[in-house]
Amino acid sequence: MSGKITKVSGPLVVAEGLADANVSDVVRVGASRLIGEILNMTGDQASIQVYEETSGLGPGAEVVTTGMPMSVELGPGMLDNIYDGIQRPLPEMRALTGDSITRGTDVPALNRDKKWDFVAVAKPGDKLSAGDVVGTVQETSAILHKIMVPPGLSGEIKSVQSGSFTVTDTVAVLVDNKGKEHELSLMQRWPVRIARPYARKYVPSRPMNSGQRIIDTLFPLAKGGTAAVPGPFGSGKTVVQHQLAKWSDVDIVIYIGCGERGNEMTDVLMEFPELKDPRNGEPLMKRTVLIANTSDMPVAAREASIYTGITIAEYFRDMGYDVAVLADSTSRWAEALREMSGRLEEMPGEEGYPAYLASRLSQFYERAGVVECLGSDERRGSVTAIGAVSPPGGDISEPVSQATMRIVKVFWALDSSLAYARHFPAINWLTSYSLYVDTLAPWYTEQFGESYMKNRERAMHILQEEAELQEIVRLVGQDALSAEDRLTMETAKMIREDFLQQNAFVDEDAYSSYLKQFRLLDMVLKYDVLCREALGKGADMNALFAIDSREKIGRAKMADPNAFGDAYDAIEKQMKAEIEEVTAGGEDA
Amino acid sequence: MIKEYKTIKEIASPLMIVEHVEGVTYDELGEIELPNGEIRRCKVLEVEGDRAVVQLFEAAQGINLAASKVRFLGHPQQLAVSGDMLGRVFNGMGNPIDGGPAILAEDHRDINGLPMNPAARAYPAEFIQTGVSTIDGLNTLVRGQKLPIFSGSGLPHAALAAQIARQARVLGDDETFAVVFAAIGITFEESEYFINDFRRTGAIDRTVVFSNLANDPAVERISTPRMALTAAEYLAFDKGMQVLVILTDITNYAEALREISAAKKEVPGRRGYPGYLYTDLATLYERAGRRQGKKGSITMIPILTMPEDDKTHPIPDLTGYITEGQIILSRELHRKGIVPPVDVLPSLSRLKDKGIGVGKTREDHAGTMNQLFAAYSRGKDAKELMTILGEAALSDDDKLFAKFADEFEKRYVSQGNTTNRSIEETLNIGWELLSILPKRELKRIKPEFIEKYLPEK
């Protein structure tokens, strides 16, 4: 079925003669067979968004529908790979067309020639339903890829064989209850705009360990939860996203570079193969899928990229894995939506964004969650969604930030004034929040005892108090404060500098285990308690602030991640002795 | 056989509507022949049936609807490229205006370029010594980076950009370099300042200039930076040169874009700029970089003047989201006589971490850099407090930080436009300044470096 173009305006093409095509079908446009998707239909006229540059297209050129919605290929070969927004593998495109992305390049997402070692788990005669595991492929050293019965299919296995297969070879034959045979291969397809089915959904209850102190201790995220990282440019959004991609204790990471810098993707591509997962020692790239639709690549494919990413995430979730999706940045995605909406001459909502912006955003975030997967073994998997937001001028009153805040449960607000003072990660402790604190508290208590959450509360309280005291200092100077208040400010400074600040570029500090976080904060709070006692006994405040162990506390975060316990014990001992000495001196005088 | 149309229906500069066209395609280049034989150029913005919406690149003045002819050339706008472009001056449309002969083209390139495959990029990691302490020491520039200068009206951004162009070099390396300079809607005087500086230092022989001055047609400004970048890509990736591209002024570019968007009656975004300003700017900025297996590189220094010195204005804001950092000039420092008036706190180089350290600059670079930032920030806070409450309100430490902030501006930032400091000099000045502070406050530097580099008081 083919039609003819009647209008070309940037990425929007209108074609007639497509009465047989469906809304959301993928079409091929023009002689160079550019990839597009049907947005609207009027009679036999279709409005098409084209995922590639439309320069050189004109009226009369042919448009052919594929009869299929925008889909991704799911199977072995996605990990350790980098795709564009519509799942074309970038390294293979480079081999085919050189350093630049040329148009109409047709490369299958999964390599058709590569053979995988398939190990059958099911036996002939087994009755399987959708989601049941037929067999496995060791895709990378880190990840066992489970080959599942696709959604909507069930029946009895007629034949299944282990061995070496390409993604399109038949590995098993399934007979459904009507007696129809279905050939199963290592690969399945799924339309990106439809969420993959699961058995049931649960409320998230386990934290996602990120190794970042301000996140894990103050504003934790749950596995299967949603978070947003808003911030003006230069406040370190991308570094936060990279840190999460590196250190999160999930099985799979999907990193979507949506309308961002090309060099950032290159950075990930070069750095991740070198970095080792702290939990199993495998290179991080072996658990990572990259989706790169950089800012100079066609804008329509940017719109598709986050759906491509989250669909791949759901597929790995269905195997029972914990998956994190990092989208940098959802604002660029929203802008792509706005651009297409403008070309369609739709009535604009706030700031030119289409009226359906909020519903599209919530559809994306709602695909996160902890689920019981399809299949009879009741395995559980999760998708955690973390989106960066780039508000214009850093002002979060704009529509994308506001629509995001209504959906997500964790909000890490980046602050440019912290970034200017090189306080990184520049997450503002007063404006950020996590709604998972209460649901996760039992987990923390079970693992580390009551004091973990008590310390957290105490630290938050001190930081809050500091903000109020600073107001006073700004008006009347710090001499007006009592010694106790001065101590509060001093402790707050220690929490900020010695605990919250974390250097992503220093190996010892980039990842902090829960225990190290706990000990570090505990040490600072012990200092506070001891000094408060000493002040009560009349000790000299300035002498307390100047004890030698303070410098050691300041450097404590740089301690060896595997052997900090003894060092921290020693610092605490010295601190105690020094404070006692100062107190004794005060009593003498 | 190229068809000629005499069916211009409407002209509302910079847009023109031509009817009864056949086989015209999106983004195609066209020529308009006036009755007197003069030729002007245009490109197709939208084509619907037999009706084409065309954007003029030059003024509409004098075009007669009935008597003018339009031809469509079957390809997008192109630039004739050749190694002979070095040392030449072109107008904003890529035609020579220096009185020299036309360029013998080695190739014709689409000025829009193609997006670079992220898998083909090589990560910028080679330190460029600019000789400017605030850049080398604190906001390090690396080869293949795009680092804009955010300036304001009346601030000396031209002097800083010229200084960088003059002094920039990669340590221990003598590869061929070239400068591509695009004047986008700036005044003759400002353009001459750059060209004279290139001439004075002899760099002019290795420079390609594309010049669209303030009185040239605004619509041409859309093409000028693309011409410059097409030339830069050719020199870098075909000829293996290290190219520094200076684009000034991006604010004029964005305004030209707004003008055309308004003429097309598009739904405006913030402050009337089109919703696709981000994407459009990205197609310029992202052309900087390095490619795997290629010797050359494109390092880009776009300059923009922030309207009302407002960093949240859409032009600097969207630029900051695309570029790899920014150098911000401060009016306050300028008034104080600090040259160059670089405001280091909001300035940033995102790629600095890969370009500094052992084997690139010096082992102590990262630590001292963070310490200088943190100390200057605290010093400025202390000074602010001092102006409200008097010096007595400060703690002893804060007094030292306040002193540090003053000295930092005087000795580290204010180096003048002719001083070319080596990275060692820059780092050593940093250490001298840090020695003002109590040693226990130097938490961001490893103790062994403090031992090794901190001068005795």
Side-chain angles (χ1 to χ4, degrees):
Chain A
M1 182 68 203
S2 74
K4 293 242 176 308
I5 295 182
T6 56
K7 175 182 172 178
V8 185
S9 167
L12 178 77
V13 166
V14 179
E16 59 183 16
L18 285 168
D20 282 1
N22 313 307
V23 173
S24 297
D25 272 4
V26 170
V27 293
R28 307 305 292 256
V29 179
S32 41
R33 294 180 57 73
L34 308 182
I35 300 166
E37 184 179 1
I38 297 182
L39 295 176
N40 292 335
M41 301 272 322
T42 324
D44 70 341
Q45 250 192 15
S47 301
I48 299 160
Q49 75 170 342
V50 180
Y51 291 121
E52 298 175 85
E53 174 59 46
T54 50
S55 168
L57 275 187
E62 193 187 42
V63 177
V64 186
T65 171
T66 60
M68 298 240 300
M70 183 72 199
S71 304
V72 284
E73 293 183 357
L74 302 165
M78 292 190 292
L79 293 169
D80 198 4
N81 209 339
I82 174 168
Y83 292 110
D84 77 353
I86 47 175
Q87 215 203 4
R88 292 183 297 184
L90 289 170
E92 283 168 41
M93 282 178 80
R94 182 179 176 219
L96 220 64
T97 64
D99 291 346
S100 304
I101 293 178
T102 45
R103 298 185 296 160
T105 315
D106 215 349
V107 193
L110 299 177
N111 189 320
R112 293 291 189 266
D113 302 324
K114 181 161 180 175
K115 293 207 164 185
W116 300 92
D117 284 325
F118 172 75
V119 181
V121 173
K123 299 179 299 293
D126 282 0
K127 292 217 174 354
L128 299 187
S129 58
D132 280 338
V133 178
V134 183
T136 59
V137 167
Q138 190 68 44
E139 183 175 350
T140 67
S141 44
I143 298 296
L144 186 71
H145 194 115
K146 296 172 186 163
I147 306 300
M148 299 166 290
V149 177
L153 217 59
S154 63
E156 192 180 307
I157 292 283
K158 186 182 167 199
S159 67
V160 60
Q161 46 196 332
S162 299
S164 185
F165 298 102
T166 68
V167 287
T168 47
D169 290 341
T170 302
V171 294
V173 176
L174 188 82
V175 185
D176 66 18
N177 53 14
K178 289 185 187 123
K180 195 176 169 214
E181 292 194 358
H182 299 270
E183 294 184 344
L184 302 183
S185 67
L186 300 182
M187 180 182 95
Q188 45 177 291
R189 278 202 177 79
W190 191 261
V192 295
R193 294 184 200 278
I194 297 172
R196 283 176 64 87
Y198 49 82
R200 58 175 297 200
K201 210 163 187 171
Y202 295 94
V203 175
S205 60
R206 290 169 305 146
M208 188 182 85
N209 177 5
S210 66
Q212 310 305 302
R213 289 187 289 267
I214 186 159
I215 292 177
D216 288 348
T217 298
L218 295 191
F219 308 108
L221 172 62
K223 277 187 187 140
T226 51
V229 197
F233 66 84
S235 58
K237 272 187 306 297
T238 302
V239 178
V240 169
Q241 293 263 23
H242 281 197
Q243 288 300 93
L244 291 169
K246 283 178 197 167
W247 308 121
S248 294
D249 66 335
V250 291
D251 303 303
I252 311 269
V253 170
I254 317 284
Y255 193 98
I256 310 167
C258 175
E260 289 288 312
R261 304 174 183 88
N263 278 331
E264 280 171 6
M265 299 315 291
T266 313
D267 187 19
V268 176
L269 270 181
M270 290 174 53
E271 198 182 4
F272 277 31
E274 309 291 321
L275 288 170
K276 298 271 186 285
D277 188 328
R279 279 161 291 271
N280 57 18
E282 294 291 339
L284 283 173
M285 201 61 205
K286 301 282 181 207
R287 65 165 200 181
T288 309
V289 183
L290 296 175
I291 314 276
N293 211 86
T294 55
S295 53
D296 55 338
M297 282 155 78
V299 67
R302 193 194 296 169
E303 195 268 332
S305 65
I306 74 165
Y307 294 105
T308 302
I310 198 131
T311 309
I312 296 174
E314 286 174 335
Y315 173 69
F316 282 109
R317 172 205 69 188
D318 291 346
M319 295 178 204
Y321 288 122
D322 289 321
V323 188
V325 177
L326 297 131
D328 187 9
S329 145
T330 54
S331 295
R332 304 302 160 221
W333 169 82
E335 279 169 13
L337 210 61
R338 174 168 69 182
E339 189 172 337
M340 288 315 299
S341 166
R343 302 232 185 227
L344 288 168
E345 293 168 8
E346 292 172 343
M347 185 68 78
E350 236 179 314
E351 290 193 19
Y353 287 105
Y356 46 79
L357 169 71
S359 62
R360 291 278 171 89
L361 262 176
S362 46
Q363 275 164 17
F364 167 72
Y365 281 108
E366 198 53 27
R367 287 172 78 169
V370 183
V371 304
E372 185 185 308
C373 312
L374 291 183
S376 43
D377 60 352
E378 296 179 4
R379 58 183 183 268
R380 285 193 191 190
S382 70
V383 171
T384 312
I386 302 155
V389 184
S390 318
D395 173 12
I396 58 166
S397 66
E398 55 90 38
V400 182
S401 304
Q402 286 301 314
T404 305
M405 284 170 79
R406 289 209 303 274
I407 309 157
V408 298
K409 296 276 186 292
V410 178
F411 193 72
W412 296 312
L414 295 173
D415 190 324
S416 53
S417 60
L418 290 175
Y420 295 166
R422 280 9 181 211
H423 174 110
F424 286 117
I427 298 174
N428 185 314
W429 47 89
L430 297 174
T431 51
S432 300
Y433 59 80
S434 165
L435 299 181
Y436 292 118
V437 174
D438 292 338
T439 44
L440 296 178
W443 185 91
Y444 281 95
T445 309
E446 192 187 311
Q447 300 283 324
F448 309 103
E450 296 276 329
S451 23
Y452 203 104
M453 279 292 143
K454 279 206 179 116
N455 278 354
R456 175 187 182 276
E457 257 169 60
R458 178 79 190 125
M460 288 296 284
H461 183 75
I462 291 173
L463 289 170
Q464 183 65 45
E465 225 174 314
E466 182 200 27
E468 288 161 19
L469 291 172
Q470 262 167 353
E471 293 286 311
I472 301 175
V473 171
R474 247 177 243 127
L475 292 173
V476 290
Q478 60 178 1
D479 286 344
L481 294 183
S482 68
E484 278 74 21
D485 286 344
R486 289 284 297 274
L487 175 62
T488 303
M489 292 200 61
E490 195 71 10
T491 311
K493 184 179 151 214
M494 288 168 76
I495 295 175
R496 285 189 282 111
E497 293 181 0
D498 305 342
F499 180 72
L500 295 182
Q501 278 184 17
Q502 191 166 357
N503 192 333
F505 302 100
V506 174
D507 292 343
E508 295 84 11
D509 199 25
Y511 174 84
S512 220
S513 64
Y514 279 118
L515 195 61
K516 190 175 172 186
Q517 303 189 20
F518 173 69
R519 289 292 312 267
L520 203 52
L521 184 59
D522 202 48
M523 183 160 36
V524 174
L525 295 174
K526 270 186 187 143
Y527 171 85
D528 182 72
V529 171
L530 291 173
C531 285
R532 226 162 270 277
E533 275 174 25
L535 286 175
K537 290 180 191 161
D540 176 44
M541 179 186 74
N542 288 321
L544 285 174
F545 292 171
I547 58 174
D548 288 344
S549 49
R550 278 290 301 276
E551 194 186 333
K552 288 196 177 153
I553 300 174
R555 294 186 187 284
K557 57 184 164 193
M558 298 297 176
D560 185 337
N562 300 315
F564 53 86
D566 293 346
Y568 287 9
D569 289 343
I571 299 172
E572 286 184 359
K573 204 172 149 198
Q574 188 190 343
M575 171 175 87
K576 214 167 165 186
E578 282 169 350
I579 293 174
E580 274 164 14
E581 198 180 317
V582 173
T583 316
E587 279 167 352
D588 289 348
Chain B
M1 168 59 196
I2 293 173
K3 277 190 187 164
E4 286 187 342
Y5 299 99
K6 290 179 84 173
T7 48
I8 303 176
K9 172 83 194 314
E10 182 184 322
I11 290 185
S13 181
L15 298 189
M16 176 172 89
I17 292 169
V18 189
E19 291 194 318
H20 308 301
V21 297
E22 255 174 62
V24 172
T25 62
Y26 173 70
D27 208 29
E28 193 175 339
L29 188 68
E31 280 179 352
I32 306 155
E33 193 181 324
L34 270 52
N36 62 5
E38 190 188 333
I39 287 183
R40 296 197 189 155
R41 289 197 280 179
C42 58
K43 82 169 185 186
V44 179
L45 285 183
E46 186 179 305
V47 37
E48 183 167 11
D50 64 351
R51 182 170 171 275
V53 180
V54 172
Q55 174 197 324
L56 302 174
F57 283 123
E58 285 139 291
Q61 226 169 41
I63 299 183
N64 178 294
L65 299 197
S68 304
K69 288 181 271 190
V70 183
R71 289 187 287 270
F72 293 97
L73 305 179
H75 60 77
Q77 203 178 0
Q78 289 177 330
L79 178 72
V81 289
S82 145
D84 298 336
M85 297 175 91
L86 287 169
R88 301 290 304 273
V89 181
F90 302 88
N91 68 6
M93 297 300 288
N95 301 317
I97 48 168
D98 53 1
I103 293 292
L104 278 176
E106 284 168 40
D107 198 2
H108 291 271
R109 296 275 163 92
D110 179 352
I111 64 158
N112 293 310
L114 285 167
M116 212 189 290
N117 188 328
R121 280 183 187 268
Y123 198 73
E126 290 161 292
F127 168 68
I128 296 179
Q129 181 178 300
T130 63
V132 180
S133 290
T134 43
I135 296 177
D136 293 352
L138 301 177
N139 298 294
T140 315
L141 178 68
V142 295
R143 220 175 230 181
Q145 185 174 12
K146 39 196 179 291
L147 189 64
I149 298 175
F150 287 10
S151 180
S153 315
L155 291 181
H157 48 261
L160 178 61
Q163 185 178 13
I164 296 171
R166 197 165 61 228
Q167 300 177 349
R169 64 190 190 92
V170 170
L171 295 178
D173 185 303
D174 50 10
E175 286 175 61
T176 49
F177 75 97
V179 176
V180 173
F181 175 73
I184 309 165
I186 59 171
T187 59
F188 170 77
E189 282 166 52
E190 195 171 348
S191 166
E192 275 304 287
Y193 174 86
F194 278 100
I195 293 170
N196 279 334
D197 202 77
F198 296 147
R199 209 170 268 143
R200 191 168 59 78
T201 55
I204 192 78
D205 295 337
R206 313 214 59 81
T207 301
V208 189
V209 176
F210 289 87
S211 176
N212 168 286
L213 298 183
N215 60 344
D216 289 327
V219 279
E220 245 186 62
R221 283 169 207 159
I222 307 296
S223 301
T224 310
R226 294 189 162 82
M227 296 276 174
L229 286 162
T230 305
E233 277 174 358
Y234 177 76
L235 295 174
F237 303 125
D238 288 53
K239 296 282 175 190
M241 292 179 171
Q242 310 301 335
V243 184
L244 178 72
V245 179
I246 299 175
L247 306 173
T248 179
D249 183 320
I250 294 294
T251 305
N252 296 335
Y253 170 81
E255 269 165 13
L257 205 64
R258 175 167 69 177
E259 192 179 323
I260 291 162
S261 169
K264 287 197 288 193
K265 300 189 172 62
E266 289 171 339
V267 179
R270 276 212 305 156
R271 298 222 182 181
Y273 291 97
Y276 50 80
L277 181 61
Y278 175 85
T279 306
D280 191 275
L281 287 175
T283 57
L284 298 182
Y285 297 144
E286 280 289 323
R287 288 170 82 171
R290 292 170 61 221
R291 296 181 186 179
Q292 286 172 29
K294 292 274 165 70
K295 228 172 81 187
S297 66
I298 298 178
T299 309
M300 195 192 290
I301 302 188
I303 299 171
L304 58 89
T305 45
M306 299 181 278
E308 298 168 46
D309 295 354
D310 176 11
K311 195 158 67 79
T312 66
H313 184 280
I315 301 169
D317 188 52
L318 296 178
T319 297
Y321 275 122
I322 307 164
T323 54
E324 285 136 354
Q326 66 277 338
I327 303 292
I328 298 189
L329 301 188
S330 147
R331 199 167 296 277
E332 186 198 331
L333 292 178
H334 181 57
R335 280 202 207 103
K336 276 193 202 167
I338 307 279
V339 182
V342 175
D343 193 355
V344 298
L345 294 181
S347 296
L348 170 75
S349 163
R350 291 168 189 273
L351 304 182
K352 61 180 186 299
D353 299 290
K354 301 274 157 64
I356 62 176
V358 184
K360 285 170 174 162
T361 54
R362 211 167 72 182
E363 55 187 358
D364 56 321
H365 193 154
T368 49
M369 175 178 75
N370 287 326
Q371 193 68 62
L372 285 168
F373 271 124
Y376 180 54
S377 164
R378 186 161 162 201
K380 278 188 76 166
D381 285 348
K383 280 179 64 186
E384 208 174 294
L385 206 61
M386 201 159 77
T387 46
I388 306 171
L389 301 163
E391 202 178 337
L394 295 187
S395 68
D396 290 342
D397 278 1
D398 279 344
K399 279 178 200 149
L400 289 176
F401 275 100
K403 182 178 167 214
F404 169 87
D406 282 333
E407 289 292 311
F408 177 81
E409 284 172 11
K410 244 180 270 162
R411 293 173 53 196
Y412 197 91
V413 183
S414 191
Q415 65 176 91
N417 282 131
T418 48
T419 314
N420 186 357
R421 283 184 190 157
S422 73
I423 182 66
E424 283 78 18
E425 283 174 70
T426 292
L427 290 172
N428 292 342
I429 294 171
W431 278 108
E432 280 168 33
L433 291 166
L434 289 175
S435 71
I436 296 172
L437 303 173
K439 212 160 119 186
R440 77 185 127 76
E441 288 289 347
L442 306 182
K443 280 188 220 171
R444 310 229 179 179
I445 310 176
K446 287 190 180 164
E448 60 258 41
F449 297 149
I450 296 183
E451 200 64 33
K452 191 166 164 189
Y453 294 104
L454 189 69
E456 296 296 322
K457 273 191 222 183

